[in-house]
Amino acid sequence: MKKLVILALSTVVINCSFAAKAQVPINSLQQRERTVTISGTVQSVVGNQFTLNDDTGEVIVDAGPRWYHTINVSPGEKLTVTGEYDDDNFDAFQITRANGETIIIRNSPGRPPWAGGRKN
């Protein structure tokens, strides 16, 4: 019984933790299919999308629509982003600033909470 409880608890911790994901270089994103973590420097910002560069390449990071929530990142800022590569951009689930502040965009892959528009 104790082994079963410990296994269940460790599964919950693994599934809820973005920090456990290994960091990958931006230029290897097309080879990945699962949730990954990337780090780099913000090059430009338009709304809730920004270009992140890690010296191996760059990618557009999408943090969802501004009507759902607003994130404020600035060019030159160093960020760590957990999410998934999809359709030539990186869909952010979580953004961590260099000072440790974390911005939660969404809790998991799949259909985002803003899918379907403002009324859903």
Side-chain angles (χ1 to χ4, degrees):
M1 182 68 167
K2 288 181 183 179
K3 289 181 184 177
L4 181 60
V5 171
I6 291 170
L7 177 60
L9 287 175
S10 65
T11 302
V12 170
V13 171
I14 290 169
N15 289 339
C16 293
S17 174
F18 288 119
K21 304 294 180 193
Q23 186 172 313
V24 300
I26 289 172
N27 69 350
S28 72
L29 286 176
Q30 292 180 346
Q31 302 162 13
R32 308 275 175 182
E33 296 179 19
R34 301 182 186 266
T35 302
V36 295
T37 299
I38 58 175
S39 289
T41 303
V42 176
Q43 300 300 304
S44 62
V45 180
V46 176
N48 275 357
Q49 291 188 344
F50 55 93
T51 304
L52 194 68
N53 182 302
D54 74 350
D55 295 330
T56 69
E58 61 183 37
V59 66
I60 296 172
V61 176
D62 185 355
R66 287 184 74 93
W67 60 261
Y68 182 77
H69 63 197
T70 300
I71 63 160
N72 293 310
V73 298
S74 302
E77 190 171 1
K78 296 191 182 308
L79 301 174
T80 299
V81 183
T82 299
E84 64 185 354
Y85 186 73
D86 181 37
D87 297 328
D88 296 325
N89 68 31
F90 192 81
D91 294 333
F93 302 159
Q94 174 179 302
I95 300 169
T96 305
R97 298 181 191 275
N99 68 2
E101 176 189 353
T102 300
I103 303 166
I104 302 295
I105 307 301
R106 54 195 263 208
N107 291 323
S108 64
R111 187 175 165 97
W114 53 84
R118 292 178 190 254
K119 295 181 181 181
N120 291 331

